[in-house]
């Protein structure tokens, strides 16, 4: 069940981040990958800032995951445009 929740959280976070960053396209698999990697990145950044990482399937974790996914998409867009 834990893996299923990561997939759902990742899909939501990736979809919301792509809406925020205006980088549509990709399918649901891309949203899941972006969201899960973004959740890991957001958890590391939040923990480094003393805010705590992903704590489960709740609103705080979704916000951390969306923030991490936005950071990931922003870095990807910078690299793709040649910094």
């Amino acid at each position: 069940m834990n893996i299923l929740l990561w997939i759902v959280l990742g899909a939501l976070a990736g979809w919301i981040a792509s809406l925020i960053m205006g980088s549509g396209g990709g399918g649901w698999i891309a949203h899941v990958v972006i969201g899960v990697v973004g959740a890991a990145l957001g958890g590391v950044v939040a923990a480094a800032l003393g805010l705590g990482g992903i704590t489960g399937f709740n609103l705080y974790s979704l916000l951390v995951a969306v923030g991490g996914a936005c950071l990931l998409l922003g870095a990807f867009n910078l690299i793709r445009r040649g910094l």
Side-chain angles (χ1 to χ4, degrees), residues 27-71:
W28 65 274
I29 294 174
H31 291 303
V32 170
V33 171
I34 290 167
V36 170
V37 174
L41 177 63
V44 168
V45 171
L49 293 174
L51 301 173
I54 302 291
T55 59
F57 192 76
N58 52 39
L59 182 60
Y60 173 74
S61 295
L62 180 63
L63 292 174
V64 170
V66 168
C70 285
L71 284 173

Side-chain angles (χ1 to χ4, degrees), residues 11-36:
L12 283 172
W15 176 65
I16 293 169
S18 69
L19 291 175
I20 291 171
M21 299 300 289
S23 61
W28 65 274
I29 294 174
H31 291 303
V32 170
V33 171
I34 290 167
V36 170

